[in-house]
Amino acid sequence: MDRSLRIAQQPDADDLLSRSPLAALTGMLLDQQVPMEWAFTGPYTIAQRLGRDDLDAHEIAAYDPEAFAALCAEKPAVHRYPGSMAKRVQQLCQYLVEHYDGDAGAVWRDADTGAELLRRLNDLPGFGKQKAQIFLALLGKRLGVRPEGWREAAGPYGEEGSYRSAADVTGPESLAKVRAFKQAAKRGAP
């Protein structure tokens, strides 16, 4: 199984997503109201602006909120709403520091069932049911994290061969299929 992510469609950003659990979680957090590639490039942009080759939950959690918001707003902005998303990224990192000693991978590392993992993801700040299910599907489909019942817990996002979300993106062709699915869903098409 190829355990690399290609959601950002930029090699350096995708490399970070593939090797950094915190980057992958942050990309998923940012994936709303902007194109998927923009959202999943955000963790790489943040790391570069911090002068790092990875994100550190302890560093981001403790960062001055105004300075972190300014870092996220710098052009090109990390998100269409850089201030509010900077706050959400910090809240996510603060939660990870408080509950997982800053280790994002610990969210899923010892989860025994898909239901347990879904609950843990749903508990993360900024992760509702849909976002948690999509990330669970991404873990299972792309990164080999497959506790018992993971597909069921991921709901329709866990379906084999579907093109519904970031969990199904493996390159430009599948990204186009996911985009087409989302557009059809918005129009109410079958």
Side-chain angles (χ1 to χ4, degrees):
M1 166 186 220
D2 176 14
R3 294 184 188 220
S4 60
L5 299 178
R6 294 190 178 85
I7 306 167
Q9 305 286 298
Q10 287 185 17
D12 289 340
D14 282 329
D15 175 62
L16 178 61
L17 294 170
S18 300
R19 65 182 164 78
S20 170
L22 180 53
L25 271 178
T26 301
M28 190 72 236
L29 179 71
L30 295 171
D31 188 21
Q32 59 188 57
Q33 300 178 311
V34 296
M36 199 180 309
E37 310 92 306
W38 183 3
F40 281 92
T41 299
Y44 179 74
T45 303
I46 292 169
Q48 291 292 290
R49 290 179 186 170
L50 291 171
R52 309 275 186 265
D53 65 355
D54 196 355
L55 300 179
D56 181 302
H58 292 264
E59 178 182 20
I60 293 170
Y63 216 86
D64 175 75
E66 287 183 20
F68 191 69
L71 180 138
C72 290
E74 197 178 300
K75 302 287 183 205
V78 168
H79 194 275
R80 177 180 291 149
Y81 304 107
S84 62
M85 294 313 280
K87 183 177 180 180
R88 286 189 179 190
V89 170
Q90 283 196 290
Q91 288 169 338
L92 173 64
C93 289
Q94 289 160 352
Y95 183 90
L96 292 171
V97 166
E98 183 179 332
H99 296 272
Y100 296 98
D101 195 30
D103 179 3
V107 173
W108 53 85
R109 193 172 298 119
D110 64 352
D112 292 325
T113 66
E116 179 185 354
L117 179 49
L118 180 63
R119 180 192 53 75
R120 289 180 184 187
L121 291 168
N122 211 30
D123 286 346
L124 297 174
F127 277 67
K129 181 182 178 188
Q130 182 181 37
K131 195 174 286 279
Q133 285 184 313
I134 291 169
F135 195 77
L136 175 53
L138 182 142
L139 287 170
K141 290 179 175 183
R142 300 287 154 252
L143 299 176
V145 176
R146 298 175 173 168
E148 184 180 331
W150 73 270
R151 282 193 191 274
E152 296 77 10
Y157 302 103
E159 291 173 6
E160 186 80 42
S162 66
Y163 292 98
R164 295 177 182 273
S165 71
D168 303 307
V169 176
T170 57
E173 185 179 310
S174 56
L175 176 63
K177 289 180 181 179
V178 168
R179 200 160 267 138
F181 174 85
K182 287 181 174 194
Q183 289 169 347
K186 279 183 184 172
R187 291 192 306 268

